[in-house]
Structure formats: C-alpha cells, structure tokens
C-alpha cells in the first residue's frame, strides 16, 4: 500500500506544534472516551490534517500510531496526502491486510471490510485486536441506538450520522464475542467518541 519512494517533505503538512503536550492531551481524551462510551469530547486543539482527514481523526492517528503499529488505510486515503503525513509524522508501517492491523483508519465505511475482517485478538493477547478510527460526517443527527455496559450509568444514547445499513448489527456481533473483538473510535470535525468492545448496543425499535 505504501510507495517505496522517499517522501517529498515539501508536500508533508505540519502536525502537532508541541508534540509531547498536545499528544498527551489527545491521549487523555481518547482514554476518557473509551472509559465513558458514547460521550462526545471536543478536541479544539487538534492540528489541521491533510486532505481527506478531519482534525480529530488526524490527531487521534498522530497520537496512537507509531513505528510498532501496523496501520490499515482505506482506499480514499492510501497513496495520498494523508498517507504521506502519517508515514512522516507517525512512522507507522502500513499493511493491506486488516488481520495484521493494530489500527485502521476508515473514512468510508461503505467500502471498508466488515468489522469481523479485522484482528479480533486471541486468548493470550485479546488486547492486540485492531482499533478502528472511523471518520464520520457528524457524531449526532443519525438514528439513535442505546448503549449499556462498563462506564455507562444505566444507559446512554448515541446517534452517529453517515453509517451504512447493517453497521450496528456488526457492532452487536462484535460485542457478542467479548473479550475478543475490535474497539471503535469515531471522529467528526474536532470531536470524538468511542465504543469499546465491552459496550452492548440496542437498536431502538428492536
């Protein structure tokens, strides 16, 4: 997926101005989102991202990806400015195989592999499953689902916009295999939220 030619640094956009402080702030937001599924967090201090990526998705990628984390990129990002930006600033190796990915960066769920195609973890290392960073048009305004599980008092509601048909059924199936399964971080603009595999989703009306 990644070109073998050297990067043209003149074409690579800047990233964090203060990498240590800003990446730590983003990491805290991601951990808070994982601990409180469905809660939406603002990340106004995220840097501008290259074409194809919103600020929050780019900031999460810069924070979590590194030279030890194979990353799967969707077709909309592969070979373009976002790939060059991540290769330079994060140093992450890219893989075309979702089963080998520590992280996946998805901007078009309709053309991405199903959640079950990514690494689900194993009995010895369930934490080595893929974490998907999924960019959406908005984190509100879509059909609402109900969330229950660790980090949620009673229940919560989430209404992500731009999801393809059948996606919530995939999330339900992902939860059914817990402790295996993938974790999900959703981003739009400069906002993010998360659904760890421990979260149980009920489609309203079921």
């Amino acid at each position: 997926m990644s070109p073998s030619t050297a990067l043209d640094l003149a074409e690579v956009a800047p990233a964090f101005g203060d990498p240590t402080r800003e990446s730590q702030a983003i990491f805290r937001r991601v951990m808070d989102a994982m601990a409180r599924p469905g809660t939406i967090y603002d990340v106004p201090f995220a840097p501008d991202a290259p074409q194809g990526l919103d600020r929050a998705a780019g900031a999460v990628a810069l924070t979590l990806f590194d030279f030890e984390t194979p990353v799967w990129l969707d077709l909309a990002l592969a070979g373009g400015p976002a790939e060059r930006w991540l290769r330079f600033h994060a140093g992450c190796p890219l893989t075309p195989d979702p089963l080998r990915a520590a992280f996946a960066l998805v901007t078009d769920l309709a053309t991405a592999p199903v959640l079950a195609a990514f690494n689900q973890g194993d009995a010895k290392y369930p934490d080595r499953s893929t974490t998907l960073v999924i960019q959406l048009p908005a984190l509100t305004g879509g059909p609402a689902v109900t969330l229950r599980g660790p980090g949620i008092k009673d229940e919560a509601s989430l209404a992500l916009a731009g999801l393809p048909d059948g996606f919530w059924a995939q999330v339900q199936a992902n939860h059914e295999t817990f402790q295996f399964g993938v974790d999900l971080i959703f981003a739009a603009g400069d906002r993010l939220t998360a659904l760890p595999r421990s979260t149980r989703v009920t489609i309203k009306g079921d």
Side-chain angles (χ1 to χ4, degrees):
M1 181 181 296
S2 173
S4 59
T5 55
L7 288 171
D8 182 350
L9 299 187
E11 296 182 356
V12 178
F16 291 127
D18 183 342
T20 299
R21 182 180 63 82
E22 293 174 26
S23 63
Q24 287 176 347
I26 296 293
F27 186 76
R28 285 193 295 271
R29 287 288 198 281
V30 171
M31 291 300 99
D32 287 345
M34 282 290 185
R36 298 172 178 81
T39 301
I40 296 173
Y41 291 87
D42 292 323
V43 284
F45 43 84
D48 289 335
Q51 180 181 358
L53 279 183
D54 288 344
R55 286 155 49 92
V60 171
L62 287 179
T63 299
L64 299 182
F65 303 175
D66 62 29
F67 68 96
E68 294 182 320
T69 58
V71 173
W72 183 92
L73 295 182
D74 70 9
L75 291 175
L77 300 176
E83 178 183 319
R84 293 191 292 271
W85 190 68
L86 290 169
R87 288 174 59 213
F88 177 72
H89 291 295
C92 52
L94 304 180
T95 177
D97 183 357
L99 283 174
R100 294 187 57 217
F103 294 97
L105 187 53
V106 178
T107 61
D108 184 4
L109 274 172
T111 61
V114 296
L115 299 183
F118 291 93
N119 189 341
Q120 305 290 299
D122 57 42
K124 189 173 182 180
Y125 299 109
D127 58 324
R128 292 187 180 177
S129 65
T130 306
T131 296
L132 281 78
V133 181
I134 300 171
Q135 181 172 291
L136 297 174
L139 302 183
T140 58
V145 296
T146 300
L147 311 178
R148 296 181 179 88
I152 301 171
K153 184 178 181 180
D154 299 324
E155 64 181 40
S157 182
L158 190 61
L160 302 175
L163 297 177
D165 292 342
F167 180 76
W168 284 123
Q170 292 184 48
V171 175
Q172 290 175 319
N174 181 65
H175 171 74
E176 291 301 317
T177 64
F178 183 80
Q179 62 184 350
F180 308 117
V182 299
D183 295 320
L184 308 172
I185 300 170
F186 299 97
D190 58 2
R191 309 174 81 198
L192 63 85
T193 191
L195 288 181
R197 71 196 84 171
S198 58
T199 301
R200 185 169 70 258
V201 172
T202 301
I203 302 170
K204 294 192 175 183
D206 282 3

